[in-house]
Amino acid sequence: MKIFAYGIRDDEKPSLEEWKAANPEVEVDYTQDLLTPETAKLAEGADSAVVYQQLDYTRETLTALANVGVTNLSLRNVGTDNIDFDAAREFNFNISNVPVYSPNAIAEHSMIQLSRLLRRTKALDAKIAKHDLRWAPTIGREMRMQTVGVIGTGHIGRVAINILKGFGAKVIAYDKFPNAELQAEGLYVDTLDELYAQADAISLYVPGVPENHHLINADAISKMKDGVVIMNAARGNLMDIDAVIDGLNSGKISDFGMDVYENEVGLFNEDWSNKEFPDSKIADLIARENVLVTPHTAFYTTKAVLEMVHQSFDAAVAFANGETPAIAVKY
Ligand code: COI
């Protein structure tokens, strides 16, 4: 059996070597290049391809891969929003993702950022770097005094809720598909409008599916409390970033944390030191003391990377054996 992997980063290699050692019967070949119509031929002769990229899996790319005989595709990440599913269907692609690699990685990061926003650590750090060790005016707020609205209560949202409970925050939640345990605890509000009206801080954990596109827009923001804090480590397209910037300018939004950005492909995970950002909105957001930007690193922990590699390669083997792994994408 042969697996060909695309886009392998240096930080994934130890996990890949570990997997290879545990699966000596599988021949593994890989490249650091992403899967494109041009690189598809590298997978020729493989039973499955393993991939991760934010670049779209377009019709052309999927056609090129199918043309070299590879229609088993295992993603090393959760998001499938960049796949042309119509094309995938036409070629009968078997696709898997890694829906649960480490909910804690993302939940922890989002809650660390939310705590940092409440304690104004960016302003404090800037003061300290200038040798100004005075307290005022950088006074913080306590988590236990906040009503935190959690939008999306899947695996990640539920870990975030547990962290919030540890802090003693009052949690309210919204999900189209409520979780039975949280429902029994009475955490849910019935509508997003109710959540917006009650929450001092809001954190998002919903997928970037079309129906959630610009969920947080000017209308939604207008229904939120004055001085609301917003944290988004889910998907960039959940936010109408212009509306968020307007909200920050007016003070309606007091603080904002973002780990994802609608136009992040080609911007995040690139080195811009000594260069101007190619995106004036990101430059503006990064410069603000009440905004924390991280470049889609919420997921980026040793545990998560290991799970992404191991689970995707296991799924690739299952597909190659004609089996349907538990993490096959139903589409
Ligand atoms: C995903 O798993 O879809 C993520 O958002 C993390 C990705 C940057 C590897």
Side-chain angles (χ1 to χ4, degrees), residues 52 54 77-79 101 235 296 299 308:
Y52 167 66
Q54 288 186 299
N77 65 308
V78 57
Y101 43 81
R235 276 293 180 263
H296 210 140
F299 87 99
M308 291 162 120

Side-chain angles (χ1 to χ4, degrees), residues 34 52-57 77 82 235 260 264-266 268-269 296:
L34 302 181
Y52 167 66
Q53 63 197 42
Q54 288 186 299
L55 202 65
D56 288 345
Y57 301 99
N77 65 308
N82 54 347
R235 276 293 180 263
V260 284
E264 70 182 56
V265 179
F268 284 2
N269 204 15
H296 210 140

